[in-house]
Amino acid sequence: YEISSEDYRTSFVVYTAGQYTKRKHFTGIVPDDPAELQEYNNNPPYGNSKNYTMQVGAQLNHTVLDFIQGNNTFTFGMEYVVDDVYDVIEAYDYLIDQNSRNIGAFIQSDWEITRKTTLLAGIRADKHNFVDNLIVNPRISLLFKPGLNTQLRASWSTGFRAPQAFDADMHIAFSG
């Protein structure tokens, strides 16, 4: 949902997304060894997976006209993401039962210094339940448009991917 002020200089956005997956699956390959084949037939590697992911967020955008020189759009926001994975294959004595949660907040400045030059700078802070410390990721980018069909950009940023099990990645080990 998005709502804007009458002058369109301020907007407020809220969003949510979710997914739920439940499946039964076969994981593995038929063994060549006759002794292993009998065990395989007695206890075939069927599994069950359940996974839900939910994301909720909000952001506020405000454009300041004539900011020192040019216009600057400031963005403030936060989001919360939950990912719950339950994956079991009893024949392999395999179980993933994991719930990850991440809350993040960010601030960004998108400053159009001139028609041809834009400076974007921002910072995001995340707290993930699998990581002890707060994760802080800055970013900066300079965009220069020397001509109508030409853009040059220089950027620097950091990022992270928190430790997390994804059931499809884990099944690769069982499929041979």
Side-chain angles (χ1 to χ4, degrees):
Y1 177 77
E2 181 175 353
I3 188 167
S4 296
S5 63
E6 288 185 24
D7 62 4
Y8 294 99
R9 289 181 39 215
T10 304
S11 66
F12 179 69
V13 179
V14 292
Y15 56 90
T16 185
Q19 175 177 299
Y20 177 73
T21 305
K22 181 179 178 182
R23 65 187 173 98
K24 294 183 180 203
H25 53 84
F26 172 80
T27 305
I29 56 175
V30 177
D32 293 328
D33 183 279
E36 290 177 3
L37 181 59
Q38 185 59 45
E39 175 59 31
Y40 173 87
N41 288 332
N42 291 340
N43 190 17
Y46 287 97
N48 293 299
S49 298
K50 287 187 251 181
N51 175 237
Y52 78 83
T53 303
M54 180 190 70
Q55 178 179 22
V56 178
Q59 75 178 47
L60 177 69
N61 305 294
H62 180 71
T63 301
V64 177
L65 303 176
D66 299 321
F67 178 85
I68 303 172
Q69 177 178 320
N71 301 330
N72 195 340
T73 300
F74 293 97
T75 302
F76 309 88
M78 61 187 319
E79 69 179 7
Y80 181 66
V81 179
V82 174
D83 190 29
D84 188 76
V85 176
Y86 179 83
D87 189 33
V88 62
I89 306 169
E90 291 180 9
Y92 293 138
D93 195 26
Y94 167 82
L95 173 66
I96 294 282
D97 188 1
Q98 175 181 280
N99 184 289
S100 67
R101 297 174 306 282
N102 187 77
I103 187 162
F106 55 91
I107 183 170
Q108 178 173 286
S109 164
D110 192 355
W111 182 17
E112 185 181 74
I113 301 167
T114 69
R115 269 189 28 212
K116 294 184 175 191
T117 308
T118 302
L119 178 66
L120 185 137
I123 192 163
R124 179 180 170 111
D126 288 273
K127 182 61 185 111
H128 194 282
N129 66 311
F130 293 159
V131 180
D132 291 335
N133 298 326
L134 187 69
I135 300 121
V136 178
N137 290 294
R139 65 186 284 194
I140 190 163
S141 176
L142 181 64
L143 174 64
F144 179 63
K145 302 175 196 171
L148 186 61
N149 297 316
T150 307
Q151 293 183 355
L152 303 170
R153 182 185 309 266
S155 298
W156 176 85
S157 64
T158 63
F160 87 105
R161 179 177 171 180
Q164 183 173 352
F166 294 93
D167 63 320
D169 294 343
M170 303 303 285
H171 293 175
I172 291 170
F174 301 122
S175 63

